Amino acid sequence: GFLAGTLLGVAQFFAVPVLGFFTPLKAVQEAARVPAMIAAAQQGMNGVAFVAEGMMQGHQAFGKLAVNTILASLALMVAMEEG
């Protein structure tokens, strides 16, 4: 998971210059540049999380998955309020 995520993150990082294909507006391209690079840097850990969630589903640990989802959602809501 980590290796595949990291490889995808590297590909995403090197794809940042092609933002111009999605919008001709320079302001939008500049606004999307930093979030795209942050997302690329997180892909390795996303790969690990994806594999871990798949393992939890395979072990039918749905209650624990639900708790993880609730906690992550609450953390996101708090972070959005702070920003």
Side-chain angles (χ1 to χ4, degrees), residues 9-10 12-17 19 29-43:
V10 169
Q12 182 177 344
F13 180 79
F14 285 113
V16 169
L19 287 171
Q29 292 173 19
E30 287 301 316
R33 186 170 309 278
V34 173
M37 288 190 285
I38 292 171
Q42 295 175 338
Q43 290 303 323

Side-chain angles (χ1 to χ4, degrees), residues 34-83:
V34 173
M37 288 190 285
I38 292 171
Q42 295 175 338
Q43 290 303 323
M45 190 52 71
N46 288 342
V48 173
F50 187 74
V51 169
E53 286 182 357
M55 290 172 61
M56 290 178 77
Q57 288 178 9
H59 289 287
Q60 297 183 354
F62 301 117
K64 291 179 183 178
L65 279 168
V67 170
N68 288 346
T69 302
I70 291 167
L71 292 176
S73 297
L74 291 172
L76 177 63
M77 290 169 35
V78 168
M80 290 177 69
E81 288 294 321
E82 296 294 322

Side-chain angles (χ1 to χ4, degrees), residues 2-35:
F2 181 75
L3 179 62
T6 300
L7 291 174
L8 288 171
V10 169
Q12 182 177 344
F13 180 79
F14 285 113
V16 169
V18 299
L19 287 171
F21 291 131
F22 298 101
T23 178
L25 303 173
K26 294 292 181 190
V28 174
Q29 292 173 19
E30 287 301 316
R33 186 170 309 278
V34 173

